[in-house]
Amino acid sequence: MAAPLKVGDRLASFTREIEEQKMILFERVVWDRGSNSHSDPEAAKRDGMSKVIASGQNQMAFYHELLERNFGDAWVYGGRISARYIHPVYPGDKLTPHGEVTEVAEVDGKPLVTVKLWVEKQDGTKSSVGTAWAGQPSDERSWIEGGKA
Amino acid sequence: MSEVSQDNSVWESIPVGDDLGVMDYVMTEKMIADYREVVGNPTAAYPTVAARHPANLFYRKYRSVMRVPNTGHDSQFFNPPIAGKRIFVKATVTDKYIRREKTYLIIEATATDEDGRLIEISRLVGLARPTTRPALADVAKKWEKK
């Protein structure tokens, strides 16, 4: 059974390199956005940038993975997040999402864990900051087995 | 002259409560697999992250006049999409404000599937820029000269 989190606990994390080819594909999966500043150097220049910049949603995907790994169903079914993208991310950057528990409370009879979030680049710069809320971690991974009934 | 006083007539014209309409699409197994491959997470629950529901619907109405590069998201996730199910998304402009002389729009999109399962409510914090100006000029000005 997953151990309950307490204030000060850090979430287990991982590091990913931002690859330009995957940035381009990210702009095409699910919704093809066409050429833009995340996928096309010329479009980036038209938008005022010197080179392509990763989309904020790229970092949101890393937050999701961090929270899925650490909370399981407690994140996937009802989790909430507030994130701000505060520093640009470029191809070749290595990103590590972090989470630290800042509060454990009970709301309407259910546990609610508040987690301070941030994404750190290889040089220590924070590219994103935020907060997430979820129940205490669960061992269940229902979405992988086809979802909750 | 401050940025807010320049060329912000489009932002001014967009009312809080503006209905951005609805869209629908089928979340296919391929979409889910491709998303998981691209983000390097073989069990990613929400490929809808790449669908950008709020921006998608906003641009269907305002693409020719306004850009909303995202500076953040405030979202809640309820049930992961199921492969093969049609997803319905509706969106509205829920807030607008000026901060540090920059104009913002908050766009909220609610996604449910064909069975009525609530998937997510996602709120885009968009830096509202008329298409007459480079959308990311502020980012470049602030960070690329360092």
Side-chain angles (χ1 to χ4, degrees), chain B residues 83-144:
Chain B
K85 298 284 186 183
R86 184 166 294 276
I87 294 174
F88 296 87
V89 186
K90 62 180 180 181
T92 56
V93 175
T94 58
D95 199 6
K96 60 192 287 188
Y97 54 81
I98 296 170
R99 185 164 294 164
R100 294 178 186 163
E101 297 194 337
K102 293 181 175 58
T103 51
Y104 291 85
L105 290 171
I106 307 299
I107 303 156
E108 178 177 303
T110 300
T112 56
D113 74 8
E114 63 188 60
D115 299 324
R117 293 166 71 249
L118 178 59
I119 294 171
E120 67 185 54
I121 299 173
S122 47
R123 294 175 197 87
L124 164 69
V125 182
L127 178 62
R129 307 303 302 264
T131 51
T132 52
R133 303 189 63 200
L136 298 172
D138 293 317
V139 177
K141 184 179 174 184
K142 186 172 182 180
W143 298 112
E144 293 210 334

Side-chain angles (χ1 to χ4, degrees), chain A:
Chain A
M1 183 178 173
L5 290 168
K6 57 186 186 303
V7 172
D9 283 350
R10 293 283 293 266
L11 304 186
S13 189
F14 54 90
T15 298
R16 291 275 163 69
E17 180 170 347
I18 299 295
E19 301 172 29
E20 187 163 352
Q21 187 57 34
K22 288 195 171 179
M23 280 172 51
I24 294 169
L25 292 172
F26 191 86
E27 299 306 303
R28 294 177 181 163
V29 294
V30 188
W31 177 33
D32 188 344
R33 306 180 74 198
S35 171
N36 63 33
S37 56
H38 308 305
S39 62
D40 177 359
E42 291 307 313
K45 285 176 185 169
R46 286 195 296 275
D47 281 345
M49 301 296 291
S50 64
K51 53 189 173 184
V52 291
I53 178 176
S55 74
Q57 290 295 76
N58 249 200
Q59 295 186 71
M60 180 59 78
F62 293 153
Y63 280 140
H64 269 277
E65 183 172 358
L66 178 76
L67 295 161
E68 287 171 15
R69 286 186 182 197
N70 284 273
F71 285 87
D73 279 9
W75 160 254
V76 169
Y77 297 91
R80 187 159 61 91
I81 188 169
S82 175
R84 297 293 179 270
Y85 312 115
I86 60 174
H87 194 282
V89 172
Y90 301 107
D93 280 342
K94 293 181 177 65
L95 302 186
T96 306
H98 294 281
E100 180 179 331
V101 177
T102 58
E103 186 179 5
V104 176
E106 192 169 292
V107 177
D108 297 331
K110 295 179 181 176
L112 183 67
V113 179
T114 303
V115 182
K116 179 175 75 175
L117 298 171
W118 70 100
V119 174
E120 198 170 271
K121 296 170 70 167
Q122 64 278 1
D123 61 0
T125 305
K126 288 180 181 174
S127 56
S128 171
V129 296
T131 306
W133 298 265
Q136 283 285 4
S138 167
D139 288 326
E140 300 295 321
R141 301 290 187 272
S142 301
W143 76 96
I144 301 172
E145 276 78 46
K148 282 187 171 182

